Amino acid sequence: MTEMKHQDAHLAQFLHALEDCIYVMDWDGEQFRYRYVNRAAAVLSQIGSEHMGRTFAEVYAHEPEMGKYLHHKYMKVIDERVSIRFADGTLLPTGALSGESILSPIFGERGEVTAVACVTRDMITSSERGQHLHHYAYHDELTQLFNRRFLYEFLHKSFGLFLIDLDNFKNINDALGHETGDTLLIEVAGRFRQSFGPPYVIARQGADEFIIVCETPIAKPEEQAKRILEVLDKPFLLGDRLIRVSASVGISTSPERTELSTLLRQADIALYYAKSKGRNRYHEYNEALRYDQVVKFDYEIALNQCIERDELMLHYQPIFDAARNQVVEVEALLRWNLGHKRLVSPADFIPVAEETGLIVPIGEWVIRQACKDLPKISEKFGPNVRVAVNISRVQFEEEHFVERLNAIVAEEGVSPERFDLEVTESLVMRNLEEICAILDQLRAQGYTISLDDFGTGYSSLGILAQIPIDKFKLDRSFIVQMNPAVISALLAMARAMNLDVVAEGVEDGEQLIQLMNMGCPGIQGYLICRPMSVDDLPNIWFPDMQHHVV
């Protein structure tokens, strides 16, 4: 036993004398824990006896990315059960450069991996390490072009910038693999280097995006953009494949030196615009143009606070029953008074609200406000008048939509029978079975369900028999065309199915008379009343209505 201890002491002395770094990590099936480090490893990594038994995550709690990197690195040995060599020169999450290392599994008596030993050899001198660190700090590791850090630190002001995005690069990665994709990026970088020398500086932004910055005023930026596209026009030979690549280019220029962040933001907007017009195109940022993506982003930011700023309002448009000569329903129409200065068209902001999910809180506000306005509406049009509210696809996809709807209506003391929920064909057809189940549930609770804009979606008469609705609204296109045979057929079908009908977009007396003669129950449009605030809604009654019916 004494002899074995003596040998262990000699072995420890030997390992501590080595200039190579040695680490031994125990593996418990889930985590690696430090078991041993020699002197060189302790000096390099600042790992001491106090760290023994701790995991990577615990030791590198102050640098979690480093802890994750080491865990994943060692896990490769657990997964493959063989020694693995890692090359030197890899930029670590800490910003340091790794040396060459070999990780080997240590097996237990039953053949299971119980530990992993790592030997790291670093042949880089201090001066070389400084040079390497500087290079890695300011260059893209894959293409060896400059990176964004270099541009911001050394070219923080420039005269112009070209932002280049390879078209459909993801398809190349998916079809041919990431190694082929990386090879293509290296080849693209090489062509840019050959074609654009001083005063141009080339950088890789990341993924498949490149930046070319000009340090002098650019007289004809569109000519340089054409050069960029021409550089990529010749096919790339990757292995045994010839691959054609195109790109989209966003341009931003200035007659004087401008902040790089400003140029990059403008070029990004221009790039998006170029892509929206197709591929293999370029576009120069123009301050005078309205860029939809910028407007959309501005709306997204402003919509986040529209409720708190009290910018939303409801206008109402009456739905008139010609047979009874009275208003039976009013449709709530959302309006947004941005900054209390200008009304934004619903066609502009509703899609943004739906895409961002903001339509959910906004939709709940609409329902609650309609409840609050209902007493005033009832004063003008009677105690049985209903309020129609449009329900978006995003609201329907919310897990607790029905519960939230019922909760708001109950909190405001309103009966579900006073609400008409309008849905579109496209919403229902996204998931017919699931949506129909929700509609059945809502109808059972007393809500009226309407199919809005009938004729603009799938326009299949067969779906009317499948969807649990109480009525459908004829799109105004039917009214503009005014084909009596078509409208009469639809009205006859509605009567046979016990469905109510509302004609939208009625704007003149001739349309009204024709619809009345065909027996259309509901009329909605500017002829009856324009959308307006609840306080401005007029009393609507036509004394000679029946005289016009033949």
Side-chain angles (χ1 to χ4, degrees):
M1 183 65 70
T2 304
E3 185 177 348
M4 288 183 63
K5 287 184 178 180
H6 188 64
Q7 289 177 345
D8 287 346
H10 273 294
L11 180 60
Q13 263 188 323
F14 169 75
L15 293 176
H16 277 293
L18 293 177
E19 292 188 7
D20 291 340
C21 298
I22 298 175
Y23 307 83
V24 179
M25 304 296 300
D26 282 330
W27 169 246
D28 62 11
E30 292 185 3
Q31 297 289 340
F32 296 97
R33 299 182 182 277
Y34 281 95
R35 179 177 179 180
Y36 171 80
V37 295
N38 69 348
R39 177 190 54 79
V43 171
L44 180 68
S45 307
Q46 300 299 303
I47 303 293
S49 58
E50 69 275 14
H51 297 109
M52 296 303 105
R54 296 187 183 180
T55 66
F56 289 131
E58 291 169 340
V59 171
Y60 291 97
H62 60 297
E63 292 174 320
E65 290 303 317
M66 188 65 186
K68 292 177 185 176
Y69 166 80
L70 290 171
H71 181 83
H72 290 148
K73 182 176 180 179
Y74 277 68
M75 276 302 300
K76 289 185 178 180
V77 178
I78 300 298
D79 294 337
E80 299 184 23
R81 297 173 59 83
V82 295
S83 295
I84 299 177
R85 181 187 300 272
F86 293 87
D88 65 346
T90 301
L91 189 64
L92 301 176
T94 59
L97 289 174
S98 72
E100 182 185 46
S101 58
I102 300 175
L103 275 65
S104 301
I106 299 174
F107 297 96
E109 294 179 356
R110 295 188 297 274
E112 77 283 12
V113 178
T114 60
V116 175
C118 172
V119 179
T120 296
R121 172 166 294 174
D122 190 357
M123 302 301 292
I124 301 175
T125 65
S126 296
S127 61
E128 290 174 330
R129 179 176 295 279
Q131 293 172 4
H132 276 257
L133 279 172
H134 186 274
H135 179 85
Y136 274 89
Y138 295 112
H139 288 77
D140 172 59
E141 189 172 358
L142 177 67
T143 64
Q144 298 305 303
L145 294 174
F146 289 115
N147 57 20
R148 279 185 62 171
R149 178 188 294 175
F150 175 86
L151 297 182
Y152 274 102
E153 291 190 18
F154 293 95
L155 304 176
H156 58 279
K157 284 190 175 183
S158 296
F159 287 96
L161 183 149
F162 300 84
L163 181 60
I164 306 146
D165 183 86
L166 301 185
D167 296 331
N168 301 316
F169 179 74
K170 182 179 183 299
N171 295 342
I172 295 174
N173 265 344
D174 292 344
L176 304 179
H178 287 273
E179 287 188 7
T180 301
D182 287 349
T183 302
L184 174 61
L185 294 173
I186 294 170
E187 293 291 325
V188 169
R191 288 194 187 181
F192 285 154
R193 260 197 218 93
Q194 292 175 359
S195 302
F196 292 92
Y200 294 99
V201 176
I202 311 164
R204 182 184 176 213
Q205 161 131 299
D208 59 335
E209 285 192 346
F210 296 85
I211 299 173
I212 297 179
V213 178
C214 190
E215 283 291 270
T216 60
I218 309 174
K220 296 181 179 180
E222 66 277 1
E223 295 298 325
Q224 304 309 317
K226 289 177 183 176
R227 272 184 64 199
I228 292 171
L229 298 181
E230 289 170 0
V231 163
L232 301 175
D233 193 47
K234 184 180 177 182
F236 291 84
L237 179 61
L238 302 179
D240 58 350
R241 296 174 181 267
L242 274 177
I243 296 177
R244 286 193 172 276
V245 175
S246 64
S248 301
V249 183
I251 311 166
S252 176
T253 62
S254 174
E256 56 189 28
R257 287 189 180 275
T258 302
E259 292 288 342
L260 190 74
S261 58
T262 300
L263 293 173
L264 191 55
R265 181 180 63 83
Q266 293 175 348
D268 193 44
I269 293 169
L271 174 65
Y272 186 95
Y273 185 86
K275 280 186 170 293
S276 72
K277 299 300 180 182
R279 297 295 187 259
N280 199 36
R281 294 173 183 265
Y282 61 85
H283 176 72
E284 183 174 4
Y285 179 82
N286 185 340
E287 195 78 43
L289 281 181
R290 170 192 161 108
Y291 291 98
D292 288 342
Q293 72 269 32
V294 177
V295 174
K296 177 181 171 183
F297 183 66
D298 290 341
Y299 283 167
E300 181 179 338
I301 294 173
L303 281 170
N304 274 288
Q305 297 178 296
C306 65
I307 296 177
E308 290 79 2
R309 292 176 174 173
D310 196 27
E311 295 175 344
L312 298 179
M313 64 183 73
L314 289 183
H315 282 183
Y316 294 93
Q317 187 173 39
I319 297 173
F320 187 74
D321 187 320
R324 289 188 278 174
N325 197 9
Q326 69 181 59
V327 171
V328 293
E329 195 169 294
V330 293
E331 181 178 1
L333 299 167
L334 181 62
R335 300 291 184 260
W336 181 27
N337 188 8
L338 177 57
H340 299 282
K341 294 178 181 178
R342 66 182 180 93
L343 285 176
V344 181
S345 168
D348 290 334
F349 77 84
I350 292 295
V352 177
E354 289 184 328
E355 186 176 325
T356 59
L358 292 170
I359 195 66
V360 174
I362 290 173
E364 291 183 357
W365 179 91
V366 169
I367 295 166
R368 192 176 295 278
Q369 188 60 44
C371 289
K372 295 181 184 298
D373 289 340
L374 195 52
K376 289 184 178 180
I377 296 170
S378 298
E379 284 180 18
K380 292 191 176 182
F381 303 122
N384 296 320
V385 67
R386 290 189 301 268
V387 177
V389 175
N390 292 277
I391 305 297
S392 81
R393 169 188 59 82
V394 180
Q395 288 173 276
F396 253 94
E397 290 176 352
E398 281 288 296
E399 185 178 358
H400 301 293
F401 164 68
V402 176
E403 290 86 345
R404 286 292 303 144
L405 170 65
N406 288 331
I408 293 171
V409 171
E411 288 167 12
E412 298 297 330
V414 176
S415 169
E417 284 80 4
R418 304 295 301 277
F419 269 93
D420 182 351
L421 306 179
E422 296 189 359
V423 298
T424 62
E425 291 176 82
S426 57
L427 182 156
V428 176
M429 296 307 294
R430 283 175 64 89
N431 191 337
L432 183 62
E433 185 176 342
E434 183 177 328
I435 297 297
C436 285
I438 297 174
L439 295 180
D440 270 327
Q441 181 184 354
L442 291 169
R443 290 183 78 205
Q445 293 170 352
Y447 296 98
T448 296
I449 305 297
S450 293
L451 189 64
D452 195 17
D453 298 331
F454 179 74
T456 62
Y458 292 84
S459 301
S460 168
L461 299 180
I463 70 168
L464 289 179
Q466 302 178 53
I467 305 173
I469 60 174
D470 298 286
K471 69 179 179 186
F472 62 84
K473 302 181 76 172
L474 279 178
D475 184 68
R476 70 181 302 271
S477 59
F478 284 100
I479 312 307
V480 172
Q481 296 168 12
M482 191 48 74
N483 187 321
V486 173
I487 296 176
S488 293
L490 290 173
L491 292 172
M493 178 193 66
R495 285 191 290 270
M497 299 176 66
N498 199 28
L499 294 176
D500 202 357
V501 180
V502 173
E504 297 181 297
V506 179
E507 297 185 358
D508 63 55
E510 184 61 32
Q511 292 173 342
L512 174 62
I513 292 170
Q514 286 185 276
L515 289 166
M516 288 173 60
N517 286 333
M518 286 184 279
C520 183
I523 307 294
Q524 182 178 5
Y526 283 4
L527 179 66
I528 304 300
C529 184
R530 289 176 176 269
M532 57 185 64
S533 69
V534 65
D535 293 323
D536 294 331
L537 283 171
N539 292 315
I540 299 171
W541 181 72
F542 295 92
D544 298 324
M545 178 67 71
Q546 295 303 321
H547 295 170
H548 297 286
V549 182
V550 296

